[in-house]
Amino acid sequence: MQPTTPHADGQESGARGETPAERSRRPLGDIAALITAGTGLVGLLFGYLGLPVIANSPTAARPTVTKTVSVPEPAVTVTVTAPPPSVAASLPTGSPSGGPDGTPSPSSKPLLLTTMNPVAKGKYAWLKVGSGTLNSQGFETALVPDGSDSNCSGSAEYNLGRQWATLTLTAGIDDYSANTASRLDILADGESIFTGEVNLGKPKELSLDVKGRLRLSIRFADTVTGCHMGSLVLGNPLLAP
């Protein structure tokens, strides 16, 4: 058997068969093994504690960044078409105003003459708003004589404003009148549209043409000389356009 040659470090190389280069690389491998084991132990510890493990891997999930961008809404254009002039002219523009005597415009509905104020009246007798009974028919709205000479004669005038077409009324003597007759004259712009005598129990239904007329005059008087005129009643005097 051949004798063994001792080395400077006191170890026998022949028994193990390692070269010096192999012996120099062995500590590095041991360190790498320790690092790998330590990394695995840390990973197990993080997993047990529920902590995330961050690895710098190409396949690791990247965080998503969301950016909100405000987009302006589109403008909305509304087009309004005006009616043609012929239609606009026919649309109502409000209630027309009347005259100082209460005379309404031509577009008004039928109007009681009792709502208009006289523009002129007799010196001693005229007409006022009242009521009466004609042949057992009551009239809550009527024109009746008033004044000191109401049993003799009197008058009242109204401005029609050329705005009315017809005047309807019931003329007669009140059922409670002591005297039984009266004379009645109705004029439009000075032209007679009714002249006659009215009597107790015989009322007259009148429908008079006043189209385009301006001034309406109503006159009353006793049928004979004196002051024994019956109690005149002009029931429901209505103007219609």
Side-chain angles (χ1 to χ4, degrees), residues 182-241:
S182 175
R183 181 175 180 82
L184 177 64
D185 295 299
I186 302 177
L187 302 91
D189 293 337
E191 179 183 349
S192 176
I193 54 178
F194 175 80
T195 297
E197 183 177 315
V198 293
N199 298 279
L200 179 66
K202 297 179 180 180
K204 294 183 178 181
E205 302 286 344
L206 304 180
S207 180
L208 309 176
D209 183 7
V210 294
K211 185 175 182 180
R213 301 306 181 102
L214 180 64
R215 181 62 59 90
L216 176 71
S217 300
I218 302 177
R219 303 172 183 175
F220 53 89
D222 191 1
T223 56
V224 294
T225 303
C227 293
H228 304 288
M229 186 184 79
S231 299
L232 180 66
V233 175
L234 305 178
N236 290 340
L238 186 66
L239 290 165

Side-chain angles (χ1 to χ4, degrees), residues 54-174:
I54 301 175
N56 188 16
S57 170
T59 60
R62 295 291 190 270
T64 302
V65 179
T66 303
K67 184 177 182 181
T68 303
V69 179
S70 299
V71 179
E73 297 181 358
V76 179
T77 303
V78 179
T79 303
V80 179
T81 304
S86 58
V87 176
S90 63
L91 297 177
T93 58
S95 300
S97 58
D101 61 347
T103 303
S105 68
S107 61
S108 298
K109 296 178 180 180
L111 179 74
L112 284 168
L113 189 60
T114 54
T115 62
M116 298 174 62
N117 297 322
V119 296
K121 57 184 182 180
K123 185 176 181 179
Y124 300 106
W126 51 87
L127 293 173
K128 70 173 184 177
V129 179
S131 60
T133 304
L134 300 177
N135 197 28
S136 300
Q137 180 180 358
F139 291 87
E140 294 297 328
T141 302
L143 291 174
V144 297
D146 189 31
S148 59
D149 284 357
S150 59
N151 291 332
C152 303
S153 63
S155 64
E157 298 184 3
Y158 301 87
N159 176 25
L160 299 184
R162 306 188 191 282
Q163 299 174 2
W164 306 100
T166 59
L167 170 65
T168 58
L169 58 91
T170 302
I173 301 300
D174 189 85

